[in-house]
């Protein structure tokens, strides 16, 4: 019986192609808009989650934090130095590796090619802390740091911008007017929200200190790697105690630094993007509501148009339940077809939007989660059921006898 009703519903839909398209047009647009927004936002969240997880769950970052109450005229900006990092590494049993990070913009040059790049002064533990490894050549060692060698490791984008060829290892480039020998090429990381993570130059921290001065090494970002299976709360508490002791902070004084763990960064980003998904999805979801009202109105009208058909079915023995099931299957089939087209259209629309915005911002690939597709189809199914219930009111308004008398009069 269900398959027979499904065949009848499909025949009815294709018998009135234009009306069927106009009926579900609002649903198709609504579903497509919702899926496009969700796919773009979820793509961002998925990419950022992958990026953070690639670093590892044992990553902790500390940076200076003056707080909102700081008076810039009376208080100097908090400091974080390599001595602070060394003190934490010595006192915190949960910390295995660390690297200070001196971050600045630098101009790199090779022959006539010039490029502005983000330069990081780090130590030999950078690869272990960030899980970011050299693909060709080597990374600098602790001996290179002690000798303050002018060597560097670069990203793939720098190779392309400076036209260093397929094998940049061994070549010399200029960094802010100083000559550096390239000893390694980092593995490709790709872009994220307009930031190219392959557009970097890494130099030994002691070399950066010699070039840029010790005074510029007092407001560093400190990156730590926890020992495997260490407790995150314990590690954060140990880092906090060591830094408060180093900075001579008394009980009751607020910290002049901020600690961020990889899990907290991921949770914060997920919450922000989750709110964005809900707000934007709710806004474009209004189109779904409008489309649902359109389906209900048109399907209610169709009951009036098919009075003769209802009468014939009841005259040959069909019960009101059988008629309602037929209309239910037809309504769900129609809204489900609109939902399917909307899902496909939403995915295509999201990719077109990403390509269109690629010149402005580097968006990650779209990601359409399964739950979004299920919610879209579920909403369409509910629309079909509600629409069928509106049809049932039309059927109730035409009792069997009234329909039969009307048919007899027509004959």
């Amino acid at each position: 019986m269900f398959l027979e009703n499904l065949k009848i519903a499909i025949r009815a839909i294709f018998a009135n192609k234009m009306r069927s398209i106009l009926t579900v047009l609002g649903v198709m647009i609504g579903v497509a808009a919702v899926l496009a927004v969700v796919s773009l936002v979820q793509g961002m969240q998925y990419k950022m989650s992958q990026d953070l997880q690639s670093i590892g769950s044992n990553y902790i970052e500390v940076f200076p934090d003056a707080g909102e109450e700081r008076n810039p005229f009376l208080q100097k900006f908090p400091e974080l130095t390599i001595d602070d990092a060394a003190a934490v590494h010595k006192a915190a049993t949960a910390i295995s590796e660390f690297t200070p990070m001196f971050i600045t913009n630098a101009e790199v040059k090779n022959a006539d090619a010039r490029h502005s790049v983000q330069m990081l002064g780090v130590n030999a533990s950078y690869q272990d802390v960030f899980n970011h490894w050299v693909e060709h050549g080597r990374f600098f060692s602790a001996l290179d740091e002690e000798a303050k060698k002018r060597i560097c490791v670069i990203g793939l984008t720098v190779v392309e911008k400076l036209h260093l060829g397929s094998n940049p290892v061994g070549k010399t480039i200029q960094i802010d007017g100083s000559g550096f020998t390239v000893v390694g090429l980092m593995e490709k990381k790709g872009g994220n929200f307009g930031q190219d993570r392959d557009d970097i130059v890494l130099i030994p921290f002691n070399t950066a200190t010699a070039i840029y001065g010790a005074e510029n090494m007092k407001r560093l970002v400190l990156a730590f790697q926890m020992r495997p299976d260490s407790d995150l709360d314990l590690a954060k508490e140990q880092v906090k105690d060591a830094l408060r002791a180093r900075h001579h902070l008394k009980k009751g004084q607020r910290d002049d630094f901020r600690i961020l763990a990889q899990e907290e960064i991921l949770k914060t980003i997920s919450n922000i993007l989750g709110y964005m998904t809900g707000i934007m999805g709710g806004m474009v979801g209004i189109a779904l509501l409008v489309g649902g009202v359109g389906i209900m109105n048109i399907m209610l009208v169709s009951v009036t148009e098919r009075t003769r058909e209802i009468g014939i079915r009841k005259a040959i023995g069909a019960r009101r339940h059988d008629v309602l099931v037929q209309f239910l299957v037809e309504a769900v089939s129609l809204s489900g077809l609109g939902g399917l087209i909307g899902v496909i259209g939403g995915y295509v629309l999201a990719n077109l939007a990403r390509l269109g915005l690629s010149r402005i911002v580097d968006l990650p690939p779209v990601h359409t989660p399964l739950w979004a597709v299920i919610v879209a189809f579920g909403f369409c199914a509910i629309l079909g059921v509600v629409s069928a219930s509106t049809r049932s009111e039309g059927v109730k308004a035409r009792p069997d006898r009234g329909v039969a008398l009307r048919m007899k009069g027509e004959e």
Side-chain angles (χ1 to χ4, degrees):
M1 182 63 69
F2 174 77
L3 293 178
E4 186 65 28
N5 283 324
L6 184 60
K7 292 178 183 178
I8 294 172
I10 294 175
R11 283 199 298 267
I13 292 172
F14 283 94
N16 301 278
K17 298 182 182 65
M18 184 56 66
R19 187 175 70 178
S20 298
I21 293 174
L22 294 176
T23 300
V24 298
L25 186 61
V27 173
M28 288 190 292
I29 294 175
V31 171
V34 171
L35 258 293
V37 170
V38 172
S39 297
L40 286 171
V41 177
Q42 288 294 312
M44 299 177 191
Q45 182 173 350
Y46 182 74
K47 183 67 166 58
M48 296 191 73
S49 298
Q50 280 190 323
D51 293 342
L52 290 173
Q53 288 172 0
S54 67
I55 298 176
S57 59
N58 295 332
Y59 172 76
I60 296 177
E61 184 176 279
V62 184
F63 54 90
D65 182 22
E68 298 178 356
E69 301 176 359
R70 171 181 173 267
N71 188 329
F73 300 102
L74 301 178
Q75 297 173 272
K76 66 178 184 178
F77 197 84
E79 297 180 355
L80 272 181
T81 66
I82 188 172
D83 293 332
D84 291 329
V88 170
H89 184 242
K90 182 178 180 181
T93 58
I95 300 298
S96 62
E97 301 285 349
F98 79 92
T99 179
M101 290 194 295
F102 169 68
I103 305 172
T104 187
N105 290 325
E107 184 182 67
V108 292
K109 179 183 177 183
N110 175 47
D112 295 331
R114 297 174 179 266
H115 179 55
S116 181
V117 67
Q118 185 182 66
M119 191 202 72
L120 278 69
V122 297
N123 66 15
S125 300
Y126 172 87
Q127 294 185 104
D128 296 308
V129 174
F130 283 91
N131 195 27
H132 189 194
W133 305 91
V134 166
E135 189 171 36
H136 298 293
R138 69 177 182 89
F139 204 78
F140 42 81
S141 64
L143 294 176
D144 296 325
E145 285 189 79
E146 291 179 8
K148 301 179 182 179
K149 288 187 178 181
R150 298 201 173 189
I151 58 177
C152 65
V153 181
I154 61 178
L156 185 61
T157 300
V158 179
V159 175
E160 296 172 351
K161 295 292 185 180
L162 297 185
H163 311 297
L164 295 175
S166 58
N167 186 16
V169 177
K171 296 183 178 180
T172 300
I173 63 173
Q174 298 287 320
I175 302 178
D176 282 343
S178 301
F180 280 77
T181 301
V182 179
V183 297
L185 174 64
M186 300 301 292
E187 63 183 353
K188 182 177 176 61
K189 279 287 187 177
N192 196 359
F193 300 100
Q195 181 181 6
D196 187 355
R197 293 178 300 152
D198 296 318
D199 195 13
I200 59 170
V201 171
L202 306 173
I203 67 173
F205 182 80
N206 290 345
T207 305
T209 304
I211 295 175
Y212 295 96
E215 191 63 27
N216 289 320
M217 303 296 151
K218 293 183 178 181
R219 296 178 184 89
L220 306 174
V221 176
L222 308 181
F224 298 95
Q225 186 67 236
M226 293 166 47
R227 298 185 186 279
D229 302 324
S230 295
D231 182 72
L232 175 61
D233 293 332
L234 173 62
K236 290 174 62 178
E237 192 65 28
Q238 290 180 344
V239 171
K240 179 179 178 180
D241 291 343
L243 287 177
R244 287 185 63 87
R246 279 278 306 173
H247 293 185
H248 307 291
L249 296 176
K250 299 179 181 178
K251 186 176 181 180
Q253 284 184 286
R254 67 176 304 277
D255 298 334
D256 58 357
F257 54 86
R258 187 176 179 186
I259 303 173
L260 271 183
Q262 187 264 4
E263 293 181 358
E264 294 175 336
I265 298 173
L266 180 59
K267 184 178 180 181
T268 301
I269 293 173
S270 298
N271 288 338
I272 293 173
L273 293 178
Y275 290 138
M276 287 178 58
T277 303
I279 294 172
M280 298 177 69
M283 292 174 62
V284 297
I286 297 174
L288 276 175
L289 181 61
V290 174
V293 173
I295 287 182
M296 285 184 274
N297 288 334
I298 293 179
M299 287 189 170
L300 182 59
V301 171
S302 69
V303 172
T304 305
E305 294 179 348
R306 297 168 68 176
T307 301
R308 184 182 181 87
E309 178 185 337
I310 297 172
I312 293 174
R313 289 182 180 278
K314 289 197 170 186
I316 61 176
R319 297 166 298 175
R320 190 172 70 88
H321 171 76
D322 298 323
V323 178
L324 293 181
V325 169
Q326 176 199 337
F327 284 125
L328 175 63
V329 173
E330 184 177 334
V332 173
S333 300
L334 185 60
S335 58
L337 183 61
L340 176 61
I341 298 174
V343 168
I344 298 173
Y347 182 78
V348 174
L349 183 62
N351 280 280
L352 290 176
R354 176 177 175 268
L355 291 175
L357 296 172
S358 59
R359 295 182 180 180
I360 303 174
V361 59
D362 184 18
L363 291 175
V366 300
H367 176 70
T368 305
L370 181 60
W371 64 261
V373 178
I374 293 175
V375 168
F377 273 110
F379 187 85
C380 291
I382 293 173
L383 280 180
V385 172
V386 174
S387 301
S389 68
T390 62
R391 284 185 166 190
S392 69
E393 296 302 322
V395 175
K396 288 179 182 178
R398 293 165 178 80
D400 296 358
R401 186 180 176 189
V403 172
L405 290 174
R406 185 178 303 176
M407 291 174 58
K408 184 176 181 181
E410 291 175 357
E411 292 174 355

